[in-house]
Amino acid sequence: MLTALGRRFTFSDNADCLYLHDLAVARQASGSGIATALINEANRYAKRQGCSFSALISFQNSVEFWQRHGYVLLLDLSVPQRAILKTCGDRAFYMRKVLDRSE
């Protein structure tokens, strides 16, 4: 479920998706692999919790970064979902990754 920018997240008792709200790495650590390690650990955690998906909103021209980590653009959003995403700006994209249980 998408949440408008600046609004409180709603939680579901039977959630099957880990939402990654933010990922930031210090410039000094750029290229060290720490971002990949953090993403992988978050997704391992999600699988242990029974999640089937991981999702995020890509900002600041980061679509290709997230695609390299297995996330795909979700373009078939409903009209209300597109309106919510629009609150995040014109260059915001909703992305999702199916979590492989066999990994």
Side-chain angles (χ1 to χ4, degrees):
M1 175 185 300
L2 289 171
T3 302
L5 185 64
R7 300 293 177 129
R8 288 186 177 267
F9 288 99
T10 57
F11 298 93
S12 173
D13 290 334
N14 58 351
D16 68 345
C17 180
L18 174 71
Y19 179 74
L20 296 178
H21 182 268
D22 211 347
L23 174 70
V25 175
R27 284 194 201 281
Q28 300 90 324
S30 181
S32 69
I34 191 72
T36 297
L38 290 168
I39 293 164
N40 290 342
E41 182 56 32
N43 288 328
R44 281 191 295 272
Y45 170 81
K47 287 189 280 190
R48 287 192 307 269
Q49 300 304 310
C51 295
S52 301
F53 306 96
S54 174
L56 56 91
I57 296 175
S58 168
F59 293 95
Q60 300 174 338
N61 300 316
S62 63
V63 168
E64 289 180 8
F65 169 84
W66 290 109
Q67 287 174 326
R68 286 193 302 273
H69 292 281
Y71 289 81
V72 296
L73 289 168
L74 292 179
L75 301 174
D76 60 342
L77 300 176
S78 68
V79 172
Q81 288 173 319
R82 287 195 305 267
I84 291 169
L85 186 60
K86 189 78 169 163
T87 68
C88 299
D90 291 334
R91 302 293 302 154
F93 300 93
Y94 191 56
M95 302 184 78
R96 181 179 78 173
K97 177 179 180 171
V98 175
L99 300 177
D100 184 353
R101 301 268 184 174
S102 65
E103 294 176 350

